[in-house]
């Protein structure tokens, strides 16, 4: 048996394959497809202090090698999450990270405090959702504001604190460093890119337009994500969790090559609901066949090819 | 993890594919022996090179244990070639493998009431399945734009057909909605089940309500995941004055018409 575990700073995972927020619900929905407890960790759908109904317009559209979503953080709210979803995750031995989305500094702090009180081991701050009007993204685009937020959350939360970064900024290194300096235990990158998906059709002398403005994800964004992780690794000491367009073991290896400590599978969960455990099996078989006993050994070899 | 738990990832083989009307296709897919479904449920097909699977209501699936029946274990789908996803599926050949998930979602109520089934266009598929499932007991009426849009494979199975331009011949000219009042008066259904474009669902639901007849509508919306996690296909329901979200893929696709906020 190969050792797939990740142990770096405060990031402990039984294997490096996580599933990304917003693509995996609260995990129980995937039980018809995979044994969810095998995942390194499931990152929950973003949770806010109060339930959110989400956006009312068309929410998803397919584009070349990806999709655009504008869900608007629809979720059950932290109270219902703690009462209904948390016990299920715990009973089923699912390792999880709770993704938190506040609409202001106080809300993030309150969410983190509730998570700490409920002994939730890891949270991921969603400071990068492009689809809601207030809060969220504005924290992820300004280094000073983000620094203050991470500092305030750190004061009330003792578990593993992950900050999810948006690529929709000029210099992501500055934002990431602000997170690190103020006590983040890891960063995850990237959240979706801002985009617009359109389908035009012409029928009976008239144009018809289907359009969604929102977050662009899927295979097409992988080069952007790899580029960002590569840049982050050159400035950060804390672990980096890479995500963006991962749909195969090959993709995972590429993220390891630029220094990712773990990865998240996102949009590919929609295309192939069992892709996450398939990748775990493939990775494990690949390491076994090729004499890598631990994930660290594999990563060390891959980093020789790091393009820095 | 038991096989029972994981049965929703499926692979099947195309046993038949045929153009049955203008841009409308019938495809039959032989499934694994443990596949089961109910009328109103759907499967979501992986289309090569596409991020989002394409969902299709099931048009028929042989039930029971009679493995000698000709279509035993075969899913029939009726679909219209509209975009790249359906273009991919329409180009499949007999013997090709189809990667699909399902059966997904909640179907129609299954009981011995007197049911009037209403289909419009390709939406005739799931209500046809309900008719077959209930041993042809319900009455099935359907509307199409014109004669070229009527699927040849179903023509003789529909009790009443209307065409917008009357080209269907003999039966009705106009929207199927134009004939609904008359059908209700004559057939006296205990329940109406409908599938078709948004406007047909809305109007059928309103007419049913005016007659105090429960109406089940099979809805359609662009889906990213088909399993309830992405919240991409959400509609609003009004449950006793309380508004709530429901996903078409997991909470539906069949809803009570009177609860849908149109």
């Amino acid at each position: 048996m190969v050792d797939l575990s990740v142990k770096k700073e405060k990031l402990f995972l039984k294997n490096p394959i996580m599933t990304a927020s917003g693509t995996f619900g609260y995990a129980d929905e995937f039980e018809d497809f995979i044994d969810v407890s095998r995942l390194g960790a499931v990152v929950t759908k973003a949770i806010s202090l109060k339930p959110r109904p989400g956006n009312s317009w068309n929410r998803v559209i397919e584009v070349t090698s990806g999709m655009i979503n504008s869900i608007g953080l629809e979720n059950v709210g932290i109270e219902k999450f703690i009462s209904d979803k948390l016990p299920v995750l715990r009973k089923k031995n699912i390792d999880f990270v709770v993704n938190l989305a506040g609409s202001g500094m106080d809300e993030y702090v309150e969410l983190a405090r509730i998570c700490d009180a409920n002994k939730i081991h890891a949270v991921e701050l969603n400071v990068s959702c492009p689809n809601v009007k207030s809060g969220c993204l504005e924290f992820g685009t300004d280094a000073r504001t983000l620094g203050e937020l991470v500092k305030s959350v750190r004061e009330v939360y003792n578990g593993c604190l992950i900050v999810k970064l948006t690529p929709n900024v000029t210099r992501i290194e500055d934002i990431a460093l602000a997170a690190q300096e103020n006590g983040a235990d890891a960063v995850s990158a990237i959240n979706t890119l801002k985009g617009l998906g359109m389908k035009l059709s012409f029928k009976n002398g008239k144009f018809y337009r289907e359009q969604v403005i929102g977050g662009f994800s899927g295979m097409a964004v992988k080069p952007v994500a790899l580029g960002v992780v590569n840049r982050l690794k050159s400035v950060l000491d804390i672990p980096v969790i890479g995500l963006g367009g991962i749909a195969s073991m090959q993709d995972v290896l590429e993220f390891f090559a630029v220094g990712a400590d773990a990865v998240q599978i996102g949009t590919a969960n929609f295309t192939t609901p069992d892709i996450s455990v398939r990748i775990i099996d493939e990775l494990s078989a690949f390491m076994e066949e090729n004499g890598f006993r631990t994930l660290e050994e594999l990563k060390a070899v891959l980093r020789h090819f790091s393009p820095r | 993890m038991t096989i029972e738990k994981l049965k929703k990832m499926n692979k099947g083989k195309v046993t038949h594919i045929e153009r049955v009307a203008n841009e409308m296709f019938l495809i039959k897919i032989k499934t694994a022996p443990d596949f089961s479904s109910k009328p109103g449920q759907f499967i979501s097909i992986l289309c090569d090179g596409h991020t989002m699977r394409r969902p299709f209501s099931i048009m028929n699936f042989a039930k029971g244990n009679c493995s000698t029946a000709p279509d035993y274990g075969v899913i029939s789908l009726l679909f219209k070639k509209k975009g790249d996803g359906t273009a991919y599926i329409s180009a499949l050949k007999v013997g090709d493998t189809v990667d699909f998930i399902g059966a997904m979602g909640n179907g129609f109520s299954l009981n011995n009431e007197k049911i009037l089934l209403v289909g419009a266009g390709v939406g005739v598929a799931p209500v046809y399945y309900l008719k077959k499932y209930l041993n042809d007991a319900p009455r099935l009426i359907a509307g199409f734009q014109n004669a070229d849009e009527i699927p040849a494979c179903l023509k003789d199975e529909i009790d009443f057909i209307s065409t917008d331009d009357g080209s269907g011949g003999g039966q009705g000219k106009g929207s199927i909605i134009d004939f609904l009042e008359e059908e209700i008066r004559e057939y006296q259904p205990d329940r109406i089940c409908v599938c078709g474009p948004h406007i047909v669902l809305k109007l059928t639901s309103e007419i049913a309500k005016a007659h105090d007849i429960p109406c089940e509508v099979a809805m359609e919306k662009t889906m990213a995941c088909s399993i309830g996690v992405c919240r991409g296909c959400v509609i609003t329901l009004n449950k006793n004055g309380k508004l709530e979200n429901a996903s078409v893929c997991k909470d539906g696709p069949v809803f009570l018409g009177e609860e849908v906020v149109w």
Side-chain angles (χ1 to χ4, degrees):
Chain A
M1 265 309 266
V2 293
D3 177 9
L4 284 171
S5 66
V6 176
K7 294 184 200 79
K8 192 175 175 203
E9 317 269 325
K10 270 168 99 172
L11 187 68
F12 294 98
L13 299 165
K14 61 178 169 281
N15 66 62
I17 310 297
M18 305 166 71
T19 51
S21 181
T23 67
F24 217 72
Y26 305 102
D28 51 329
E29 295 95 333
F30 270 82
E31 291 194 317
D32 285 333
F33 300 96
I34 60 168
D35 176 357
V36 180
S37 69
R38 293 189 55 208
L39 293 169
V42 169
V43 186
T44 68
K45 178 137 190 55
I47 316 272
S48 51
L49 207 50
K50 295 271 176 282
R52 291 181 64 114
N55 294 334
S56 56
W57 46 82
N58 278 344
R59 294 177 169 193
V60 289
I61 192 166
E62 189 179 61
V63 297
T64 309
S65 296
M67 60 177 281
I68 310 273
N69 87 78
S70 178
I71 308 299
L73 299 180
E74 178 186 350
N75 78 95
V76 298
I78 188 81
E79 201 176 303
K80 197 153 185 233
F81 172 77
I82 300 282
S83 65
D84 295 7
K85 307 288 184 186
L86 189 58
V88 179
L89 291 166
R90 287 197 164 135
K91 192 175 155 217
K92 297 191 168 163
N93 279 321
I94 296 167
D95 291 330
F96 61 94
V97 176
V98 180
N99 184 286
L100 301 177
S103 60
M105 179 94 76
D106 297 348
E107 253 190 65
Y108 279 105
V109 173
E110 179 59 11
L111 285 163
R113 197 194 55 72
I114 294 170
C115 288
D116 196 73
N118 284 280
K119 301 190 168 46
I120 287 167
H121 296 311
V123 299
E124 181 180 69
L125 296 186
N126 184 347
V127 289
S128 41
C129 174
N131 297 327
V132 290
K133 282 206 180 86
S134 64
C136 231
L137 185 61
E138 67 201 48
F139 285 100
T141 52
D142 181 72
R144 215 179 67 189
T145 318
L146 181 73
E148 282 167 22
L149 175 71
V150 173
K151 194 173 174 194
S152 307
V153 168
R154 183 76 284 175
E155 278 168 14
V156 299
Y157 183 70
N158 295 297
C160 179
L161 173 57
I162 304 164
V163 178
K164 185 168 184 177
L165 304 173
T166 173
N168 304 315
V169 294
T170 311
R171 262 184 60 82
I172 199 166
E173 293 92 328
D174 298 344
I175 316 270
L177 282 169
Q180 176 174 285
E181 281 158 17
N182 286 283
D185 297 309
V187 297
S188 47
I190 56 175
N191 204 322
T192 54
L193 294 151
K194 273 190 191 177
L196 184 156
M198 192 191 294
K199 270 182 195 150
L200 278 178
S201 52
F202 190 73
K203 237 189 330 201
N204 305 327
K206 256 174 83 179
F207 274 113
Y208 294 87
R209 184 173 72 173
E210 204 187 318
Q211 174 180 299
V212 178
I213 296 176
F216 176 28
S217 66
M219 293 201 284
V221 310
K222 190 184 74 172
V224 178
L226 278 172
V228 165
V229 171
N230 188 45
R231 282 157 63 197
L232 291 176
K233 284 309 283 189
S234 67
V235 297
L236 293 181
D237 300 317
I238 56 174
V240 176
I241 300 163
L243 72 152
I246 297 176
S248 67
M249 182 190 76
Q250 190 64 35
D251 296 336
V252 173
L253 297 182
E254 290 171 17
F255 274 83
F256 288 156
V258 293
D261 295 283
V263 294
Q264 294 179 6
I265 316 280
T267 302
N269 291 313
F270 300 158
T271 316
T272 317
D274 63 351
I275 190 70
S276 51
V277 293
R278 270 206 231 173
I279 290 177
I280 295 173
D281 290 339
E282 272 179 51
L283 184 62
S284 166
F286 173 84
M287 286 170 59
E288 189 106 48
E289 265 168 43
N290 295 287
F292 297 100
R293 282 164 305 175
T294 69
L295 190 65
E296 290 317 309
E297 278 181 25
L298 173 67
K299 283 178 179 169
V301 170
L302 284 166
R303 277 172 204 169
H304 283 307
F305 302 101
S306 183
R308 273 195 293 285
Chain B
M1 189 69 33
T2 62
I3 290 163
E4 174 71 16
K5 288 287 271 181
L6 302 177
K7 68 184 177 186
K8 285 193 173 168
M9 294 290 311
N10 279 298
K11 279 209 165 71
K13 281 237 182 299
V14 177
T15 60
H16 179 95
I17 183 156
E18 178 193 0
R19 202 175 129 201
V20 291
N22 183 28
E23 298 297 305
M24 209 188 282
F25 291 78
L26 167 70
I27 186 169
K28 293 185 176 184
I29 301 162
K30 176 82 180 170
T31 62
D34 60 350
F35 181 85
S36 66
S37 71
K38 289 195 309 182
Q41 287 190 303
F42 67 96
I43 64 170
S44 250
I45 296 180
L46 182 69
C47 302
D48 240 8
H50 286 274
T51 301
M52 281 154 57
R53 285 172 181 260
R54 301 300 196 266
F56 299 95
S57 280
I58 297 167
M59 190 189 93
N60 207 356
F61 179 71
K63 59 171 179 161
N65 295 314
C66 175
S67 57
T68 53
D71 274 352
Y72 177 77
V74 172
I75 300 171
S76 298
L77 306 175
L78 187 69
F79 67 94
K80 200 152 188 191
K81 193 167 128 188
K82 271 161 94 178
D84 337 327
T86 44
Y88 165 82
I89 298 167
S90 71
L92 290 172
K93 302 268 178 291
V94 170
D96 284 349
T97 299
V98 179
D99 179 321
F100 67 94
I101 59 174
M104 308 305 295
N106 295 306
F108 295 107
S109 306
L110 301 170
N111 51 36
N112 293 319
E113 290 170 316
K114 201 171 172 191
I115 301 173
L116 177 64
L117 304 171
V118 182
V122 73
V124 70
V127 286
Y128 170 76
Y129 183 14
L130 184 53
K131 181 181 168 79
K132 287 288 144 193
Y133 197 89
L134 298 175
N135 302 312
D136 279 312
R139 176 169 172 81
L140 171 60
I141 62 172
F144 301 92
Q145 278 174 356
N146 54 54
D148 294 342
E149 299 285 333
I150 304 170
C153 57
L154 296 186
K155 208 166 184 169
D156 299 333
E157 306 262 4
I158 302 168
D159 299 305
F160 173 82
I161 292 176
S162 77
T163 43
D164 294 353
D165 62 359
S167 60
Q171 302 190 330
K173 180 181 177 182
S175 158
I176 194 65
I177 295 293
D178 300 340
F179 299 91
L180 200 51
E181 294 273 2
E182 193 185 323
E183 284 285 338
I184 290 170
R185 264 197 314 276
E186 281 180 16
Y187 188 63
Q188 300 280 320
D190 299 320
R191 180 180 296 270
I192 297 174
C193 297
V194 57
C195 184
H198 191 86
I199 185 68
V200 172
L201 304 185
K202 178 176 186 268
L203 293 173
T204 304
S205 175
E206 283 168 4
I207 292 168
K209 198 175 176 196
H211 288 267
D212 216 16
I213 301 167
C215 177
E216 293 182 341
V217 299
M219 310 233 359
E220 183 182 39
K221 215 152 182 213
T222 305
M223 295 174 185
C225 74
S226 304
I227 61 188
V229 299
C230 79
R231 313 305 294 169
C233 63
V234 162
I235 60 163
T236 310
L237 297 183
N238 183 336
K239 288 202 164 173
N240 303 314
K242 200 173 154 252
L243 295 183
E244 58 183 64
N245 282 352
S247 59
V248 171
C249 67
K250 194 177 181 214
D251 304 316
V254 177
F255 296 95
L256 272 179
E258 61 193 275
E259 289 185 350
V260 175
V261 177
W262 301 100

